Amino acid sequence: MLLPEAMSRILVIGTKDQLPETIELLYALENAHVMDFPAEEEGFSIGAPLPSASENSHRLLRLRSIQKDLNINTKDSSEKIPVSTVKNDFDNIFASLEEETTKVGERKASISERISALDARKKAVEPFAQLPLNLELYRGYSNLTVLAGNVASDPEGVLRESLQDFEIFKTPESDFVVVFVRNSEAQEAQRILAQHGYSEVPIPQAEEGSPSEILKSIEPEIKQLSEELEKVNSQLEELRKKHAAFVLAAEEQFSIEVQKAETPLRFGETTHSFVLEAWMPTREVERTKKALTEKFGDNIYMELLENEKRVEENHGELREALEAGVITADSGPKPIKEETPSKLNHSKTGRLFEFYTKLISTPRYHEVDPTVFIMLFFPVFFGFMVGDVGYGAIFIVLGYLGLKKVRSKEWRAIATMLFYGGIFSIFFGLFIFGDMMGIEFASRNPAHEISNITWSALLGINIPTSINLGF
């Protein structure tokens, strides 16, 4: 418990026709950490994915596209779908779902695009709605320049002092103006407008007629399209609720299938055989060998290459020599090998505290596993800091409910600390601090017992201090 599990390195050799079943068996045992086969190994090449990789990858891509379209996430359903249902019914169920989702999705995209276009038209026309001119009158002049835009202050007075011939139209608030001016005086008009905080507004080029009438025709259409969009969103929500469980189950299943199919990329292979190296807990070696023998008999070969020791041989001396410059990395007697994977081994209760260890870092194979110390001292210190019977009871209830109801590692870790910390909080609250909900059981100073609020006074019960409920 104070160290990660002892690990061993194994070698497995078999024929290619046994490769899919070998992968299935290793995944079922859940005890092997496959190592990447060295590409430079003479006589071997890196393995190729299984034939099912391409098909399942395509399925996974389509599933994730549907997940995005329907906005499905892992919290949408906790329903369990049998693997057999996913495999046997996927093509029929998913083809129907994909067709329906695509149809509704295209309708939603079309409506959204139309609404966006109408909003753009509305935004372009709105500034001109309070002016008396039709939109076609703002363009098409050879000798006039039309300046339209927002202003911070009314420029009309300065324009009349500086320009000989112009026409200005403005909103009642004088925050939007349109100025018609001769081309020869356009530059001076722009200068004056700039002094009044002028910000140009483009003149609609494709619109004709009264701006207010155009807005009146746009708004009902936007309202109608928005209602249609709500109906389409409701249809997508119904599809999401109906198929979320199946989509999530299928996505999980085919992710595993793709991972399995791509596992040979970590193997070495020849024309007719494959070879793999893997780490596994030492206690699992015989179980794995027995499972392979029962499955394949003498048609597959497994060899124990080494039982990894807890202290790396020569590695410390080699590092010191390298740092001192006595030897070079090329001349070292033994290379520093690949990091041995580590697997924590704890009881059911201990595993609840592994999150706090991994929150910092998973201990390396040769390092002490601090999970046991966290399990012993973290709840004790938590309880000592709280030291209250009432709060401790609340923490125990919350922690128990959390452990029963939640599934995420983060919330289960919090629930674990609340539950066990609550136990120690009650202990320290009873036998050290004598508090419940911030109120003492009995007065620590008998001379002030009448003036102090205590549980003895509130309940009318004489709690003797001789049983050490508090100091």
Side-chain angles (χ1 to χ4, degrees), residues 132-390:
L133 302 179
N134 288 346
L135 291 176
E136 65 269 18
L137 298 178
Y138 293 105
R139 59 182 185 267
Y141 301 104
S142 300
N143 299 317
L144 292 178
T145 298
V146 182
L147 302 173
N150 297 308
V151 290
S153 57
D154 190 351
E156 184 175 359
V158 180
L159 287 171
R160 295 200 180 280
E161 293 176 1
S162 304
L163 303 180
Q164 295 181 359
D165 194 10
F166 73 95
E167 189 72 33
I168 183 171
F169 296 89
K170 57 187 178 179
T171 60
E173 297 81 12
S174 298
D175 55 355
F176 179 78
V177 299
V178 177
V179 178
F180 295 80
V181 62
R182 293 183 184 275
N183 294 339
S184 58
E185 294 184 308
Q187 189 172 358
E188 178 64 14
Q190 287 179 326
R191 185 188 67 79
I192 295 171
L193 290 173
Q195 293 176 349
H196 291 77
Y198 174 72
S199 175
E200 184 180 4
V201 173
I203 295 172
Q205 297 299 315
E207 301 287 352
E208 294 184 356
S210 168
S212 57
E213 293 299 322
I214 293 174
L215 290 177
K216 288 180 181 179
S217 66
I218 289 176
E219 289 172 355
E221 188 175 357
I222 290 178
K223 183 179 179 182
Q224 180 184 353
L225 290 171
S226 298
E227 292 174 354
E228 290 184 29
L229 186 61
E230 287 183 8
K231 293 179 181 178
V232 170
N233 285 332
S234 298
Q235 291 176 342
L236 289 173
E237 179 64 18
E238 289 176 7
L239 288 173
R240 186 182 70 82
K241 290 180 179 179
K242 181 179 179 181
H243 297 285
F246 181 82
V247 170
L248 291 172
E251 196 274 338
E252 181 180 2
Q253 177 62 28
F254 288 116
S255 294
I256 295 171
E257 295 295 334
V258 169
Q259 189 176 19
K260 288 180 181 178
E262 293 179 348
T263 301
L265 292 171
R266 309 187 71 180
F267 295 178
E269 69 174 17
T270 63
T271 305
H272 302 291
S273 64
F274 72 89
V275 57
L276 71 92
E277 289 187 25
W279 289 101
M280 66 174 50
T282 302
R283 61 182 176 84
E284 293 285 341
V285 172
E286 287 302 321
R287 173 172 169 253
T288 303
K289 190 171 185 177
K290 180 180 178 182
L292 287 170
T293 302
E294 291 177 352
K295 181 75 173 178
F296 303 105
D298 296 331
N299 295 324
I300 201 164
Y301 173 75
M302 172 179 161
E303 178 184 342
L304 174 62
L305 297 179
E306 66 172 318
N307 291 321
E308 181 68 357
K309 297 180 180 179
R310 288 296 181 182
V311 180
E312 295 177 285
E313 296 179 0
N314 297 336
H315 292 175
E317 293 85 348
L318 178 57
R319 288 193 181 94
E320 292 175 2
L322 285 169
E323 291 173 358
V326 177
I327 60 173
T328 65
D330 294 331
S331 63
K334 183 178 179 181
I336 299 174
K337 60 185 178 181
E338 179 183 334
E339 180 80 17
T340 305
S342 61
K343 181 178 185 297
L344 305 185
N345 181 25
H346 298 108
S347 63
K348 183 178 179 180
T349 302
R351 285 195 294 272
L352 295 173
F353 291 87
E354 286 183 2
F355 173 83
Y356 294 100
T357 299
K358 295 177 180 178
L359 191 63
I360 301 172
S361 176
T362 300
R364 296 172 61 189
Y365 182 71
H366 304 282
E367 294 178 340
V368 173
D369 178 5
T371 305
V372 174
F373 301 102
I374 293 174
M375 180 177 66
L376 293 176
F377 294 107
F378 201 164
V380 172
F381 289 142
F382 181 93
F384 188 78
M385 286 188 294
V386 177
D388 188 287
V389 175

